[in-house]
Amino acid sequence: MGIIKAKKLVHEYIRRDEEGNAVGINRALDDLDLDIQKGDFVAILGHNGSGKSTLAKHLNAILMPTEGTLWVNGYDTKEEEHIWDIRQSAGMVFQNPDNQIISTIVEEDVGFGPENLGVPTEEIWRRVDESLRAVGMLEYRSHSPNKLSGGQKQRVAIAGIMAMKPKCIVLDEPTAMLDPDGRKEVIRTITELNKQENVTILLITHYMEEVIGADKVIVMDQGKIVMQGTPREIFTQVEELKKYRLDVPQVTELAYELRKSGLAIAEGILSVDELVNEITRL
Amino acid sequence: MSITLDHISYSYSIGTAYEKHALKDINLTIKDGEFIGLIGHTGSGKSTLIQHLNGLMKATSGSIYYNGKDIYDEDYDMKELRSKVGLVFQYPEHQLFETTVIKDVSFGPRNQGLPQLEIDLHSYEALKQVGIGEDLIDCSPFELSGGQKRRVAIAGVLAMRPEVLILDEPTAGLDPAGRDEILDQIAKLHKERKITVILVSHSMEDVAKYVDRILVMNKGELVYSDVPRKVFANYKVLESIGLAAPQVTYVMHGLREQGIAVDTNATTIDEAKREILKWAHREIIEG
Amino acid sequence: MIRDITIGQYYPKDSFIHKLDPRTKIIGTFVFIISLFLFRNKFLPYVVVIGFLGLVIGASQVPIKHIVKGLKSIIFLMVFAIVFNVFLTSGEVLWQWGILKITKEGLENAGFMALRLTLLIMGSSIMTFTTTPNHLTDGLEKIMNPLKRIKVPVHEISMMMSIALRFIPILLEETDKIMKAQMARGADFESGNLIKKAKSLVPLLVPLFVSAFRRANDLAMAMEARCYRGGEGRTKMKPLKYRKEDFISYLILVLYLVSLVVVKKVSPV
């Protein structure tokens, strides 16, 4: 069994009117099956409201399945007694960098998770050092988070999760509020953590450029998985992606357009160099 | 009608150790009906610049003329300027406060002191322009989806019928389709209502697709002010200041380096496609 | 600008004072504040107080300019206290105009009041400049620990305080942003009578509250996701431990108090 496994996962929100009477049901997750192997870098794509954030909240047992089962690191998320094991094994990074940093000093914030887990003091310090080094923020350890850039704040948040020694990190649109530099910083950091520390990464995003380095891409729409495969396989299907309110990187679209116009260019071009080589080859 | 900035500088905490020059000697004219893209790294001064254009911030030195009148004149009507130069801040949905969508949108026109009939008219029209249907106008703005909230907030500025519309990253946080919808609506407004638009953006691809002129800011200075293809031709300089040209620019330059004779001026997918096909077909004819 | 408020913001340095246990600093500040009110208008004891404060500021390595900047925010309070004292103290009249009169005692009172307020703010800001808010709340938590026995939620209170300290600058910045955004839509926060002014605050306060609630919600989720479950079973990254320096500081504090009492006794004016 993979580190994360979902079987017929369903989540329903009950819509209520002003008096609190139920007026309808929103199916945010609809019979979802998922199997993610340890050490994978998986990207989940989907437009706003496709159910991807609801899924993320299940992985951390913030939300419970209405139907079906979800296992995280072998624990069924419905079992109350394992809630802290689940949260420790699947750490979560959220969208707004300001709203997840608890402390006014970087290193103290990174230490927050281990403190909650009851880790002994010396061990906390060791983990804080390690985690800050892993995300490249060691020199900022005594800074105030308010003075950091968005990308740096997200790296601190990632370090805070790393210090809990998770098996898997779920990032729920970690770059949505960042500028291009910040976005690159965060993606570089999580790619390194995946390669060097062998942490399983689940990246939820709607920026296409960010999923190119993933092992596997999952596309969600209306609470269902509608596409999955390698980035190259997914980006071959430009029309299909647009149908799900998504997009492809500009080079991919240009290559796709050229191919449609009859040029013999390979499918699923992901980078500028690839396209230049393809055209030169003609 | 135009906005002219004459030697505009702005500094923080003057005379202390923390003194910082956010804007350095900016000279700029924005003509009536232009569609301008303003790009720059975070902290390059672009937010400071746009807040000068509607008088929310006052320059340390220099003058700004709106339609030929000095906005720093003592008897200049600042309130009037703010309704002529509409500014949509980043994440504008965070400023919604009324109980219904229509009430929120009419906040601006109400502050302008218009008669009720015109307030309603302008508000309804603004909502229509951003694609918010009649079924939503009596909803609480807090019940809407993220993209809808964003559009209601933009309508709140449009309802003041500005002559100039400034938008600070109007697509931040939206999904690709939501992003295209907003930008298309803005482009349509620009075309139909002939209003001047200044679009602050991080996305070179978006800027290249829509604007007539690009302003590039770096460390408080205006580095470039030119048509997109001429700005992107300096892609190496752009990179040195933490920016980049659209991906197609890199493709065209890459092809050129490989000895393929394409025009490197292409900045959008359509232009690039046309150029490459032109080259490919000539090859075939010659071959 | 609201953002310029420096009072209470931690000033990172590696000084003797920075390294003291927060409990030492809290108790020290408390004692210092009480000491300011131990004597009335006498010059000599103030020499001791200023000397002591100077010593502490020197040892803290926080630039005096930075500390003085923090005083700006209490200017209003200061002016109020001075005016109040100057005009409302009875005694030897120096100048009179209608019912307004300035007395010698009034001037004296005002002067000492201003001095006392200045010293009070400077003294307590040294504590906040040299102690991270988390450390500060840790110290308070430890000091208040005995109250746990009477069911006071000491840990929760201190957690709330440290979160509040973390979010005050963020919310101030947000206030600034929303104000500007509403001004761009023609809002007027300045003119009009009191009722109109209060009404004009609605477009500012509603978004601010919405934002604060959203942040609180996000933060609660982020804390839970990081396994926060109250004070039970929690360890500390920076547990509080008294060191040699703290005992020395307590000794200096006692010396300060003793010399103050002695000086007060022998001081003629």
Side-chain angles (χ1 to χ4, degrees):
Chain A
M1 185 157 84
I3 180 128
I4 288 168
K5 188 172 163 62
K7 211 174 135 198
K8 294 204 173 296
L9 190 63
V10 173
H11 189 82
E12 287 172 342
Y13 288 103
I14 298 172
R15 278 199 316 266
R16 290 179 193 280
D17 62 10
E18 276 152 27
E19 280 87 47
N21 303 317
V23 289
I25 289 171
N26 275 6
R27 217 162 226 241
L29 293 178
D30 193 2
D31 261 348
L32 191 101
D33 290 316
L34 189 68
D35 198 357
I36 288 169
Q37 300 306 315
K38 198 166 178 292
D40 269 1
F41 182 162
V42 177
I44 300 182
L45 284 172
H47 61 84
N48 292 340
S50 59
K52 56 194 196 315
S53 284
T54 309
L55 175 62
K57 282 172 194 150
H58 276 81
L59 300 176
N60 206 267
I62 294 169
L63 290 178
M64 294 291 157
T66 315
E67 280 167 43
T69 318
L70 176 68
W71 292 273
V72 175
N73 199 19
Y75 303 110
D76 183 340
T77 60
K78 269 180 299 205
E79 287 168 11
E80 282 271 343
E81 68 267 30
H82 290 305
I83 191 163
W84 306 111
D85 296 317
I86 291 165
R87 288 186 180 160
Q88 192 255 318
S89 21
M92 182 115 171
V93 176
F94 298 89
Q95 185 185 88
N96 190 325
D98 276 324
N99 298 357
Q100 55 186 317
I101 294 180
I102 288 116
S103 175
T104 40
I105 302 289
V106 166
E107 63 178 13
E108 288 179 12
D109 187 72
V110 176
F112 180 75
E115 283 182 339
N116 293 334
L117 294 173
V119 173
T121 301
E122 289 98 79
E123 171 70 9
I124 296 180
W125 280 90
R126 222 171 39 81
R127 288 189 186 190
V128 168
D129 283 0
E130 269 174 20
S131 314
L132 281 172
R133 192 171 294 120
V135 301
M137 289 293 291
L138 198 57
E139 55 182 310
Y140 294 94
R141 63 180 313 155
S142 56
H143 284 233
S144 152
N146 289 336
K147 299 261 152 73
L148 302 179
S149 73
Q152 289 173 326
K153 282 183 210 167
Q154 284 304 51
R155 275 150 69 197
V156 170
I158 295 170
I161 299 300
M162 282 298 287
M164 295 169 70
K165 301 250 174 220
K167 297 229 164 52
C168 168
I169 302 183
V170 182
L171 302 104
D172 189 3
E173 297 194 41
T175 58
M177 300 183 75
L178 308 183
D179 64 8
D181 277 359
R183 256 181 250 158
K184 276 184 216 143
E185 251 174 78
V186 169
I187 298 303
R188 201 187 314 124
T189 307
I190 56 180
T191 311
E192 272 171 27
L193 289 179
N194 177 249
K195 298 279 170 296
Q196 282 159 19
E197 319 271 330
N198 201 31
V199 187
T200 313
I201 300 282
L202 217 78
L203 172 67
I204 294 170
T205 183
H206 49 231
Y207 288 110
M208 303 298 143
E209 309 86 76
E210 294 174 356
V211 311
I212 289 169
D215 299 317
K216 188 173 163 193
V217 177
I218 291 173
V219 179
M220 280 185 70
D221 186 55
Q222 296 187 339
K224 284 187 165 76
I225 291 176
V226 288
M227 292 166 84
Q228 53 183 317
T230 62
R232 206 174 289 281
E233 284 161 10
I234 297 293
F235 283 156
T236 309
Q237 306 167 53
V238 176
E239 298 294 324
E240 183 120 3
L241 282 168
K242 292 207 167 173
K243 201 173 85 196
Y244 297 124
R245 294 175 63 89
L246 295 171
D247 204 356
V248 290
Q250 215 187 11
V251 266
T252 310
E253 186 161 2
L254 177 58
Y256 173 79
E257 287 289 326
L258 290 171
R259 199 179 135 80
K260 244 184 17 187
S261 305
L263 294 193
I265 286 172
E267 283 190 318
I269 295 289
L270 298 180
S271 73
V272 169
D273 289 343
E274 277 176 26
L275 181 58
V276 170
N277 286 338
E278 280 294 311
I279 295 174
T280 316
R281 212 178 35 80
L282 287 176
Chain B
M1 283 194 268
S2 63
I3 306 176
T4 304
L5 277 71
D6 185 25
H7 297 286
I8 287 293
S9 295
Y10 181 80
S11 312
Y12 291 101
S13 324
I14 302 163
T16 71
Y18 303 94
E19 184 166 329
K20 225 187 121 191
H21 305 285
L23 294 177
K24 290 181 209 158
D25 198 36
I26 306 275
N27 292 295
L28 173 69
T29 299
I30 295 160
K31 289 195 288 291
D32 194 23
E34 265 194 293
F35 197 147
I36 286 181
L38 176 57
I39 60 180
H41 197 257
T42 305
S44 62
K46 50 188 196 324
S47 294
T48 312
L49 181 68
I50 56 174
Q51 289 181 40
H52 276 77
L53 299 181
N54 75 344
L56 277 175
M57 291 179 95
K58 191 171 185 294
T60 324
S61 66
S63 331
I64 297 178
Y65 301 93
Y66 185 71
N67 292 341
K69 283 196 198 117
D70 187 342
I71 69 163
Y72 294 147
D73 263 352
E74 249 175 57
D75 54 356
Y76 192 87
D77 186 354
M78 246 344 154
K79 235 177 143 175
E80 173 78 8
L81 177 72
R82 284 187 195 145
S83 62
K84 291 273 188 277
V85 183
L87 175 53
V88 179
F89 277 86
Q90 220 178 0
Y91 301 105
E93 61 273 24
H94 290 177
Q95 73 200 24
L96 299 174
F97 68 98
E98 273 289 5
T99 47
T100 67
V101 166
I102 188 73
K103 271 194 198 162
D104 204 290
V105 173
S106 53
F107 179 65
R110 219 163 41 235
N111 286 329
Q112 286 175 301
L114 299 176
Q116 189 60 41
L117 205 66
E118 277 178 56
I119 293 178
D120 289 343
L121 187 72
H122 292 191
S123 309
Y124 279 110
E125 208 189 79
L127 281 167
K128 212 171 127 199
Q129 278 163 354
V130 297
I132 294 288
E134 298 236 343
D135 51 320
L136 292 176
I137 57 171
D138 288 319
C139 287
S140 157
F142 299 104
E143 283 169 7
L144 304 180
S145 75
Q148 288 170 331
K149 276 187 203 165
R150 174 84 43 102
R151 281 187 272 160
V152 168
I154 294 175
V157 173
L158 280 177
M160 298 173 78
R161 301 234 166 144
E163 292 166 351
V164 180
L165 181 65
I166 308 172
L167 302 113
D168 192 355
E169 290 192 56
T171 61
L174 298 181
D175 60 32
R179 183 193 68 200
D180 291 347
E181 279 161 21
I182 294 240
L183 290 176
D184 285 342
Q185 265 150 4
I186 293 166
K188 201 169 142 217
L189 263 170
H190 169 253
K191 217 172 147 195
E192 286 172 3
R193 298 278 303 272
K194 309 268 179 266
I195 61 176
T196 312
V197 178
I198 302 174
L199 177 70
V200 179
S201 175
H202 278 307
S203 164
M204 298 305 146
E205 283 82 6
D206 289 346
V207 169
K209 198 166 151 194
Y210 293 100
V211 310
D212 308 323
R213 177 155 67 124
I214 293 180
L215 306 176
V216 180
M217 301 267 310
N218 184 43
K219 292 184 182 155
E221 284 177 74
L222 189 60
V223 191
Y224 292 115
S225 163
D226 216 328
V227 291
R229 61 186 169 82
K230 285 202 176 155
V231 171
F232 293 143
N234 302 300
Y235 65 99
K236 289 203 169 120
V237 181
L238 290 178
E239 276 169 21
S240 72
I241 57 176
L243 300 169
Q247 281 188 320
V248 296
T249 305
Y250 292 93
V251 173
M252 300 318 259
H253 281 275
L255 289 173
R256 198 62 183 244
E257 272 164 34
Q258 297 297 320
I260 293 174
V262 286
D263 183 2
T264 52
N265 275 335
T267 54
T268 64
I269 291 178
D270 283 345
E271 287 168 15
K273 182 177 153 190
R274 217 174 309 132
E275 265 308 306
I276 294 170
L277 286 178
K278 211 164 78 191
W279 166 79
H281 290 151
R282 189 176 52 208
E283 286 282 285
I284 292 162
I285 295 161
E286 282 172 1
Chain C
M1 275 289 157
I2 309 172
R3 258 173 286 171
D4 289 342
I5 296 172
T6 57
I7 190 165
Q9 290 277 36
Y10 180 63
Y11 190 91
K13 265 270 148 75
D14 203 20
S15 76
F16 179 84
I17 306 283
H18 280 77
K19 280 188 277 193
L20 286 180
D21 189 286
R23 285 170 292 178
T24 315
K25 287 185 264 192
I26 293 168
I27 293 168
T29 309
F30 191 64
V31 169
F32 177 76
I33 291 172
I34 290 177
S35 78
L36 290 176
F37 296 92
L38 277 181
F39 45 88
R40 285 195 56 80
N41 307 342
K42 283 185 170 186
F43 276 110
L44 226 44
Y46 278 105
V47 176
V48 180
V49 174
I50 292 169
F52 175 71
L53 188 63
L55 196 80
V56 174
I57 291 174
S60 76
Q61 294 177 18
V62 179
I64 187 90
K65 243 170 116 182
H66 196 73
I67 298 170
V68 172
K69 229 171 97 188
L71 287 174
K72 267 198 219 153
S73 53
I74 58 142
I75 280 180
F76 177 75
L77 186 72
M78 194 99 101
V79 169
F80 187 75
I82 289 174
V83 170
F84 202 74
N85 272 293
V86 165
F87 291 112
L88 294 180
T89 314
S90 52
E92 187 184 323
V93 178
L94 296 176
W95 177 86
Q96 189 158 17
W97 185 74
I99 54 157
L100 288 178
K101 55 176 190 260
I102 295 176
T103 61
K104 184 167 164 258
E105 285 78 5
L107 280 182
E108 219 179 87
N109 270 352
F112 279 106
M113 185 54 109
L115 184 63
R116 224 176 268 150
L117 265 175
T118 311
L119 291 170
L120 188 143
I121 296 296
M122 284 172 87
S124 42
S125 62
I126 278 294
M127 174 175 76
T128 50
F129 281 142
T130 61
T131 322
T132 68
N134 275 22
H135 234 159
L136 204 60
T137 47
D138 274 359
L140 275 175
E141 187 180 345
K142 204 79 184 246
I143 290 173
M144 294 192 305
N145 227 358
L147 296 179
K148 253 187 196 162
R149 251 174 268 155
I150 51 164
K151 296 253 157 66
V152 178
V154 174
H155 170 77
E156 283 73 11
I157 292 172
S158 81
M159 183 54 89
M160 269 160 57
M161 276 173 53
S162 67
I163 289 171
L165 283 166
R166 155 98 179 95
F167 279 89
I168 285 168
I170 293 174
L171 288 176
L172 284 177
E173 205 174 304
E174 184 130 20
T175 310
D176 207 46
K177 257 190 231 159
I178 298 169
M179 252 172 115
K180 277 184 171 167
Q182 303 299 29
M183 275 161 76
R185 292 168 78 193
D188 186 351
F189 294 108
E190 275 133 30
S191 58
N193 57 23
L194 208 63
I195 295 170
K196 212 180 148 216
K197 262 189 191 162
K199 255 188 165 168
S200 75
L201 284 180
V202 172
L204 172 64
L205 292 179
V206 173
L208 198 60
F209 274 107
V210 171
S211 153
F213 279 115
R214 190 183 49 235
R215 285 180 193 281
N217 199 19
D218 282 5
L219 189 72
M221 201 153 63
M223 287 171 75
E224 266 188 54
R226 285 163 81 181
C227 296
Y228 179 71
R229 52 197 128 162
E232 214 62 35
R234 237 175 149 249
T235 45
K236 293 262 179 203
M237 179 179 178
K238 297 176 176 172
L240 299 181
K241 237 188 236 141
Y242 277 133
R243 297 176 313 143
K244 202 173 72 201
E245 285 81 353
D246 293 294
F247 294 115
I248 296 172
S249 303
Y250 276 118
L251 204 67
I252 294 173
L253 201 62
V254 171
L255 270 170
Y256 160 72
L257 273 181
V258 169
S259 52
L260 204 58
V261 172
V262 171
V263 169
K264 186 192 166 194
K265 277 262 154 55
V266 300
S267 173
V269 279

